[in-house]
């Protein structure tokens, strides 16, 4: 906030307090701050997309600036055509055309990620599980066994074709225990990181904003 | 630099000994000169300049790498050659050899000025990732060492290998390393077809295709993998391939979906469906849309108001189409209004602030969180909990699941999110897909357990090939 103007710091502090007021209950101040937040962010992202997608990516891609040495990228017209088809939603007679870009996005996404996820989440996960179990120290050995048992039982939990009964059910129960312990650790870790965000915000309020407030009034 | 390797190992030992002796001698001379320079610097400097160079102090270059070989990198998209060699006989410790440089030329006689790869001592392979497909290249591997003389000047001493070539690069149509994946895909794909048939007609005869694929897997790829696939089929055959009804175990979160919609109907309050903050290029959002279809259909049947605030324009359009279709299927197309799906803002926390406001002011009876969520997950789920809504969440974001587990009534964990749509709709194609994926999971489970047993046995009885199974699953 070193380069922010005094008025900017003042507004940032007031808006922060306004959002914090939601902790008490919904109130007019929060509503105003919320509306400003939504309005400003929606406008910001609209401009950002216009600049980065339409101008920087498309316009400069199909008509490269003189002297850049780049060739026009005709593939970008494909994206542009799909974008225009999306706009057909606003014309009732041909609004069905907007389904084509949707189908393209969903189909391409599924196809592209199928291999990526299969390699990273299945093949490499299995290869990584087949590691030496007996290590140099007791703790390392315990860790290896924990990872192996956790992976196998966790996978058993996610079987949908078999009732969780008997040995299978016991293994699934161990699997969900592993998941819950992991969630607990992750919860604590994330809460701590959120606390640091809160401290950062309070630091802003009590140092930059309070000092600025004192100087302004 | 020498261009050919002439000395045998005895010669090298003698040369190395001469070099060490000479180096010790020259070091002593340098030390004496330094002391003299310190006492009488002008005279000392002059004397140093006039010191004759001891020819024996120049170390012989390292012995070159041998058996250099270059070939097109297999199973890639071209523009890459793999260069291999055997270690230089001098590759024993740093100092005699510092590493290898791989040089490229379009002519066997050179000049070899393009450095296309480097390797440290002990390495025998390097990739040339800058090749042009179809061009003939010649490669040379130079074993090198940096020498620093008494004045601190660094000299690059290298000995080139015999030139290898020509080698050309090209792209391959098939990545043979992914062969095992292809067979797993085929087994899963035919399992899916079989289960779809079973879900539609109550019987199936496609399981024979899987046996065929297992035999093909063994014949063309690996009998070890074929045995794993066969064990999987035997272990799970009874449950997976029998009976006329498609069996799926109960998942509490999915069972509660209709109950949650019914609760909103009874209370006369609205339902919120939040599809996450990712766009349609995220599989979790796609899964969320599939669940929205079923939720919207039941909401239409119950005549309960369903609202979907979104943060991405593509998601808005997809959600509108999904809901329109769902309301038509429910026989209530008149009830659907496009305003039920509305855009809020792209900004993550702007979206969260807006949703919090909506939850508090409109007090929905039910909230669904189905999709990809990030840091806003707990903010949303906690506010929903505060207003007393029944909340069902589903995400595959491991870092956000703990918050949903803590603050929601039901949570679909990872894979359950993707299964929810099939559970809710009981549609044959989706059911078949889900059951087919279970075949894949069973295959991986058996492979993992067998692999761990082999690893453990290998360690206990000291088998050298204890990581044998791992190679089939290692994909770069």
């Amino acid at each position: 906030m070193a380069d922010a103007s005094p008025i900017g710091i003042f507004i940032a502090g007031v808006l922060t307090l306004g959002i914090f007021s939601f902790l008490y209950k919904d109130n007019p101040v929060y509503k105003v701050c919320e509306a400003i937040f939504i309005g400003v962010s929606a406008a910001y992202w609209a401009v950002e997309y216009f600049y980065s997608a339409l101008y920087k990516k498309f316009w400069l891609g199909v008509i490269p600036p003189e002297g850049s040495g780049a060739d026009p990228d005709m593939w970008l017209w494909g994206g542009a055509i799909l974008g225009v088809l999306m706009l057909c939603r606003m014309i009732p007679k041909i609004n069905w055309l907007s389904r084509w870009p949707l189908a393209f996005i969903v189909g391409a996404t599924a196809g592209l990620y199928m291999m990526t996820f299969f390699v990273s989440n299945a093949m490499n996960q299995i290869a990584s599980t087949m590691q030496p179990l007996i290590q140099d120290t007791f703790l390392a050995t315990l860790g290896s066994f924990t990872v192996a048992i956790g992976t196998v039982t966790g996978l058993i939990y996610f079987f949908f074709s078999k009732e969780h009964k008997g040995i299978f059910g016991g293994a699934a129960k161990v699997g969900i225990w592993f998941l819950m312990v992991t969630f607990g650790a992750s919860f604590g870790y994330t809460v701590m990181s959120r606390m640091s965000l809160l401290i950062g915000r309070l630091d802003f309020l009590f140092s930059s904003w309070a000092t600025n407030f004192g100087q302004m009034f | 630099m020498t261009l050919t390797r002439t000395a045998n190992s005895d010669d090298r030992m003698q040369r190395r000994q001469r070099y060490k002796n000479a180096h010790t001698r020259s070091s002593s001379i340098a030390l004496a000169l330094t002391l003299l320079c310190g006492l009488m610097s002008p005279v000392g400097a002059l004397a140093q300049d006039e010191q004759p160079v001891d020819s024996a102090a120049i170390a012989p270059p390292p012995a070159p790498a041998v058996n250099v070989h270059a070939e097109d990198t297999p199973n890639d998209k071209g523009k890459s050659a793999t260069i291999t060699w055997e270690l230089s006989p001098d590759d024993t410790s740093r100092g005699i050899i510092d590493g290898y440089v791989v040089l490229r030329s379009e002519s066997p006689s050179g000049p070899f000025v393009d450095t296309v790869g480097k390797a440290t001592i002990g390495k025998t392979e390097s990739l040339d990732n800058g090749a042009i497909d179809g061009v003939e290249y010649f490669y040379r591997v130079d074993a090198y060492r940096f020498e620093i003389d008494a004045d601190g000047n660094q000299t690059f001493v290298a000995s080139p290998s015999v030139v290898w070539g020509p080698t050309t690069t090209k792209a391959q149509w098939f990545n043979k390393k992914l062969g095992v994946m292809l067979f797993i895909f085929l087994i899963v794909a035919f399992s899916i077809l079989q289960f779809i048939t079973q879900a539609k007609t109550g019987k199936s005869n496609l399981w024979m295709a899987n046996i065929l694929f297992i035999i093909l897997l063994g014949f063309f790829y690996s009998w070890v993998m074929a045995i794993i696939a066969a064990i999987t089929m035997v272990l799970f055959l009874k449950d997976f391939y029998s009976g006329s009804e498609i069996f799926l175990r109960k998942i509490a979160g999915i069972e509660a979906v209709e109950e949650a919609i019914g609760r909103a109907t009874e209370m006369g309050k609205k339902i919120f469906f939040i599809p996450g903050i990712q766009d349609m290029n995220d599989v979790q959002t796609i899964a969320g849309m599939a669940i929205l279809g079923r939720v919207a259909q039941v909401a239409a049947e119950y005549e309960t108001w369903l609202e979907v605030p979104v943060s991405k324009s593509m998601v808005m359009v997809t959600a509108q189409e999904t809901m329109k279709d769902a309301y038509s299927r429910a026989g209530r197309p008149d009830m659907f209004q496009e305003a039920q799906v509305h855009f809020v803002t792209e900004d993550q926390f702007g979206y969260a602030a807006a949703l919090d406001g909506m939850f508090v002011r409109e007090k929905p009876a039910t909230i669904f969180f189905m999709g990809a969520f990030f840091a806003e997950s707990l903010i949303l789920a906690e506010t929903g909990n505060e207003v007393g809504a029944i909340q069902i969440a589903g995400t595959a974001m491991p870092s956000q699941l703990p918050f949903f587990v803590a603050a929601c009534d039901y949570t679909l964990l990872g894979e359950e999110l993707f299964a929810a749509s099939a559970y809710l709709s009981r549609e044959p194609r989706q059911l078949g897909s889900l059951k087919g994926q279970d075949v894949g999971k069973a295959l991986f489970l058996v492979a993992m357990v067998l692999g761990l047993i082999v690893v453990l046995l290998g360690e206990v009885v000291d088998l050298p090939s204890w990581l044998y199974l791992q190679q089939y699953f290692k994909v770069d």
Side-chain angles (χ1 to χ4, degrees):
Chain A
M1 298 296 286
D3 298 323
S5 68
I7 294 173
I9 293 174
F10 176 73
I11 293 171
V14 169
L15 290 176
T16 303
L17 289 173
I19 293 289
F20 275 171
S21 70
F22 186 73
L23 292 170
Y24 170 60
K25 68 173 187 179
D26 190 30
N27 61 75
V29 178
Y30 175 76
K31 285 178 185 169
V32 170
C33 294
E34 178 197 319
I36 291 172
F37 197 177
I38 296 164
V40 168
S41 61
Y44 171 82
W45 285 108
V47 173
E48 170 63 25
Y49 278 130
F50 185 85
Y51 180 74
S52 63
L54 279 180
Y55 175 70
K56 219 171 165 184
K57 181 80 183 174
F58 176 70
W59 186 254
L60 295 184
V62 295
I63 308 171
E66 279 183 33
S68 69
D71 294 325
D73 186 354
M74 292 304 162
W75 286 104
L76 293 170
W77 282 105
I81 291 167
L82 290 174
V84 171
L85 289 179
M86 281 295 287
L87 297 176
C88 292
R89 287 188 68 79
M90 291 185 285
I91 307 165
K93 278 189 177 176
I94 53 168
N95 64 3
W96 57 271
L97 281 171
S98 67
R99 291 181 181 179
W100 281 88
L102 289 179
F104 180 83
I105 293 283
V106 174
T109 299
L112 277 172
Y113 286 144
M114 186 172 71
M115 286 298 288
T116 313
F117 284 170
F118 196 76
V119 169
S120 64
N121 294 8
M123 302 294 282
N124 287 344
Q125 175 72 39
I126 292 168
S128 303
T129 309
M130 293 179 199
Q131 295 296 328
L133 291 169
I134 300 167
Q135 304 281 344
D136 296 337
T137 62
F138 171 73
L139 277 180
T141 305
L142 186 68
S144 301
F145 273 93
T146 307
V147 168
I149 294 168
T151 310
V152 171
T153 55
L155 185 57
I156 286 174
Y157 172 77
F158 287 106
F159 267 99
F160 302 119
S161 300
K162 231 170 151 53
E163 195 74 74
H164 286 174
K165 284 178 181 171
I167 297 172
F168 199 81
K173 197 164 271 183
V174 173
I176 197 72
W177 268 94
F178 266 99
L179 288 174
M180 289 304 154
V181 169
T182 311
F183 291 162
S186 176
F187 189 96
Y189 175 80
T190 314
V191 166
M192 289 310 293
S193 65
R194 300 288 163 78
M195 287 302 286
S196 71
L197 289 177
L198 175 67
I199 290 166
R201 211 61 207 156
L202 291 176
D203 182 53
F204 161 73
L205 283 175
F206 288 116
S207 56
S208 305
W209 188 71
T211 310
N212 182 64
F213 192 81
Q215 287 169 352
M216 284 184 76
F217 302 99
Chain B
M1 285 173 54
T2 57
L3 286 172
T4 52
R5 189 180 156 214
T6 53
N8 60 26
S9 63
D10 288 342
D11 290 341
R12 276 199 308 279
M13 289 300 289
Q14 286 169 7
R15 279 191 300 160
R16 207 175 296 158
Q17 193 58 44
R18 275 207 307 277
Y19 166 66
K20 280 182 182 170
N21 294 339
H23 187 73
T24 313
R25 249 193 340 267
S26 62
S27 299
S28 306
I29 293 166
L31 180 65
L33 283 172
T34 309
L35 287 170
L36 200 62
C37 289
L39 293 170
M40 305 184 301
S41 55
V43 179
L46 190 64
Q48 201 173 18
D49 287 342
E50 290 173 354
Q51 182 71 24
V53 176
D54 184 354
S55 59
I58 301 169
V66 291
N67 291 335
V68 172
H69 178 85
E71 62 179 14
D72 175 38
T73 304
N75 304 312
D76 71 347
K77 57 184 178 182
K79 298 176 183 171
S80 175
T82 303
I83 302 99
T84 56
W85 59 90
E86 285 178 21
L87 293 178
S88 157
D90 285 342
D91 191 338
T92 50
S93 65
R94 186 174 288 278
I96 301 173
I97 284 186
D98 285 337
Y100 302 90
V101 284
V102 181
L103 300 164
R104 187 182 73 189
S105 173
E106 292 183 24
S107 162
S109 54
F112 286 87
V113 289
D114 289 341
T115 303
V116 293
K118 284 185 178 176
T120 53
I121 54 170
K123 302 284 183 192
T124 57
E125 187 181 294
S126 179
L127 289 177
D128 170 14
N129 288 323
I132 298 169
D133 287 349
V135 176
E136 289 190 342
Y137 290 114
F138 295 85
Y139 290 94
R140 202 180 79 191
V141 178
D142 288 7
Y144 73 90
R145 172 180 72 231
F146 285 109
E147 281 190 2
I148 302 170
D149 64 17
D151 296 333
N153 298 320
Q154 200 176 53
T155 313
F156 180 77
V157 181
S159 54
S161 68
V162 174
V163 173
W164 171 273
T167 298
T168 53
T169 62
K170 63 176 181 180
Q172 277 77 43
W173 280 99
F174 297 102
N175 183 351
K176 290 174 187 167
K177 284 195 289 187
L178 300 178
V180 68
M181 281 177 63
L182 174 68
F183 280 106
I184 292 172
F185 268 128
L186 288 174
I187 290 170
V188 172
F190 271 82
S191 297
I192 289 171
L193 285 176
Q194 175 203 322
F195 288 120
I196 291 172
T197 315
Q198 191 176 337
K200 278 181 177 172
T201 63
K203 57 183 179 182
S204 169
N205 52 11
L206 275 170
W207 60 273
M208 284 297 289
N210 281 345
I211 293 171
L212 176 68
F213 280 123
I214 290 169
I215 294 166
L216 288 175
L217 175 65
F219 194 75
F220 285 109
Y221 199 77
S222 155
W223 283 107
V224 175
M225 286 303 299
I227 291 166
I228 290 174
I231 292 172
T232 307
M233 293 300 158
V234 171
L235 281 178
F236 294 89
L237 196 72
K238 188 164 65 70
D239 292 318
F240 282 15
Y241 291 77
S242 62
S244 56
E245 278 286 307
I246 289 273
F247 171 78
L248 290 173
R249 71 171 172 83
K250 286 185 177 179
I251 296 176
I254 297 173
E255 297 283 316
V257 167
E258 290 213 16
E259 176 197 328
I261 300 169
R263 179 178 186 259
T265 310
E266 286 169 7
M267 293 174 75
K269 290 183 175 179
K270 65 167 65 172
I271 299 166
F272 274 109
F273 188 99
I274 315 300
I277 62 164
Q278 289 296 90
D279 216 327
M280 286 312 297
N281 59 355
D282 191 297
V283 284
Q284 296 177 68
T285 314
I286 296 172
M289 288 297 113
I291 298 167
L292 172 65
R294 180 61 189 165
V295 170
Q297 189 178 341
V298 178
E301 285 165 4
Y302 291 1
E303 297 184 6
T304 305
W305 184 259
L306 172 65
E307 195 166 324
V308 187
V310 299
S311 72
K312 295 283 185 285
S313 53
M314 287 290 286
V315 178
M316 183 184 86
V317 176
T318 313
Q320 283 175 341
E321 290 293 330
T322 306
M323 283 183 63
K324 194 189 287 183
D325 183 49
Y327 275 70
S328 298
R329 271 186 282 121
R332 298 303 306 271
D334 54 305
M335 269 186 69
F336 175 68
Q337 297 176 24
E338 287 203 335
Q340 283 177 265
V341 184
H342 56 91
F343 179 80
V344 180
T345 172
E346 287 264 353
D347 189 85
Q348 179 188 13
F349 290 107
Y351 182 58
L355 292 183
D356 274 357
M358 288 179 208
F359 292 168
V360 169
R361 277 157 227 149
E362 300 177 29
K363 295 202 170 18
T366 304
I367 303 172
F368 292 97
F369 299 103
M370 299 285 175
F373 292 84
F374 291 85
E376 73 289 348
S377 63
L378 186 59
I379 300 171
L380 300 177
E382 190 53 38
T383 310
N385 189 46
E386 188 73 20
V387 299
I390 183 169
Q391 300 189 102
I392 302 176
T395 186
M397 304 294 288
S399 57
Q400 304 310 318
L401 277 169
F403 300 115
F404 283 138
V405 169
C408 294
D409 298 275
Y410 298 96
T411 307
L412 304 178
L413 308 173
E415 182 77 5
E416 291 174 348
L417 168 72
F418 304 112
S421 170
Y423 264 84
L424 290 168
S425 66
R426 305 295 297 184
E427 202 267 323
R429 274 175 302 178
Q430 294 195 36
L431 281 177
S433 176
L434 189 62
K435 294 281 284 187
Q437 286 169 44
D438 267 7
V439 172
K441 277 184 255 177
L443 202 61
F444 289 135
L445 184 70
V446 171
M448 217 184 298
V449 171
L450 278 181
L452 284 167
I453 291 170
V454 171
V455 166
L456 196 58
L457 281 177
E459 285 180 307
V460 173
V461 298
D462 200 23
L463 284 176
S465 57
W466 53 266
L467 282 175
Y468 180 67
L469 273 173
Q470 194 190 47
Q471 62 176 308
Y472 292 109
F473 297 95
K474 199 88 181 165
V475 180
D476 298 327

